[in-house]
Amino acid sequence: MQLSSITPKATLALCLAGASQAYADSVTDPISTFGVIASHNQYKLTVDDESDKERLNQGGLFYHFGNKLTGQEGFIYQAGIEGQYRDKDDVEYKSARADIDLGLRAALSTNNYVDVIVGGGYDWGRIEQDDIGPFDSNVKLTSKSPFAKAGLGYNYLTPDYTLRLEVGARYSINSEARLKVNGESDSVDLKDKVNPYGELTVQWNKGINSLPISTSLYYTQTRYELDSNSAIAERSKLKQEQVGLRVGLAF
C-alpha cells in the first residue's frame, strides 16, 4: 500500500482508535479530568430570626487528578482545584477551592465497591462592590477557610461507564473574614462549622472510540457565624447553598 493512499480521515481514525485502546488498557490508572462548572447559589442571611435570600448563578473551571473514579480495591486518592466567577450589577463574586482526598476501597462484588475517604483543603471567596454609598466606597469582603473532610463513597463499574455516589462533610477550621473599605480593613474570626456535601458522578464512554466524558451533579452547604461574644454576632447567621454541574474530559 502506498502512503498516498491513506486519507486524512483514515489517519485520524487510526489515531483515535489507538488513543482509545490505550485508555481502555489503563482504566484503573489515575486520570486527569478538566472541564467547566455551572452553579446556582442561594445566600440566606438571618438576623433575629428574620431572613433575607439572594440567588446567584456562577460559572468556572475545574481540574482533578487521581484514581477515585477508576481505582478498584485498595488505596485511592484525588487532588483537585476549581474556581468560579460572576459579575452582577457592578458586584463581583469570586470563589476558589483546592482539596485532596485519600481513602481505602473494598469490593462488595465484581462491579460494586465502597470506600472511606478523609482529606483536607482550602476555601476562598470574595465579594467586591465599587462606588456604593454616599461617598462612592469600594468594598471587599473576603473569606478564607481551611477545612478537614470525611466521606463515604460507592462506585459501580461497567465496561462502558462508572457511577460514583459520595456523601460527607467538610469541617471548617480557623476561618476568617476580612472587610476592606476604601483601603482600610478589619478581620474577624468565624466559628468552626460542619458543612455537608453530596456528589453524583458518571464517567461516560470508557473504552469507546471517543474521549471519556465526566459529568457530576453536586450539592454543598456552607455556614458562617462570627466567633464573637457580641449580641449582634450571636443573632446573625449566613448560610450558602450551592447546586452545581461539572462537565469535563478525562485523559
Side-chain angles (χ1 to χ4, degrees), residues 69-180:
L69 272 174
T70 58
Q72 297 181 8
E73 289 183 285
F75 177 65
I76 58 171
Y77 64 94
Q78 178 173 283
I81 187 169
E82 65 181 53
Q84 297 191 57
Y85 175 82
R86 172 69 187 270
D87 191 343
K88 178 184 178 182
D89 299 331
D90 297 325
V91 183
E92 286 187 332
Y93 298 82
K94 303 174 186 177
S95 63
R97 171 180 292 154
D99 61 359
I100 185 168
D101 298 338
L102 306 173
L104 290 175
R105 176 167 293 162
L108 296 177
S109 64
T110 303
N111 295 332
N112 295 274
Y113 298 83
V114 293
D115 52 71
V116 177
I117 63 169
V118 295
Y122 191 85
D123 270 329
W124 177 91
R126 173 173 291 171
I127 300 174
E128 184 172 351
Q129 186 167 0
D130 296 330
D131 303 328
I132 64 172
F135 304 105
D136 293 332
S137 300
N138 298 321
V139 177
K140 294 181 183 179
L141 177 61
T142 304
S143 63
K144 303 175 182 180
S145 178
F147 62 83
K149 177 180 178 181
L152 299 174
Y154 165 75
N155 274 30
Y156 178 71
L157 278 63
T158 77
D160 296 327
Y161 68 89
T162 296
L163 180 147
R164 175 174 176 79
L165 174 64
E166 180 177 321
V167 294
R170 298 180 178 93
Y171 182 71
S172 61
I173 305 169
N174 296 328
S175 301
E176 177 187 88
R178 176 179 291 271
L179 179 64
K180 186 175 183 180

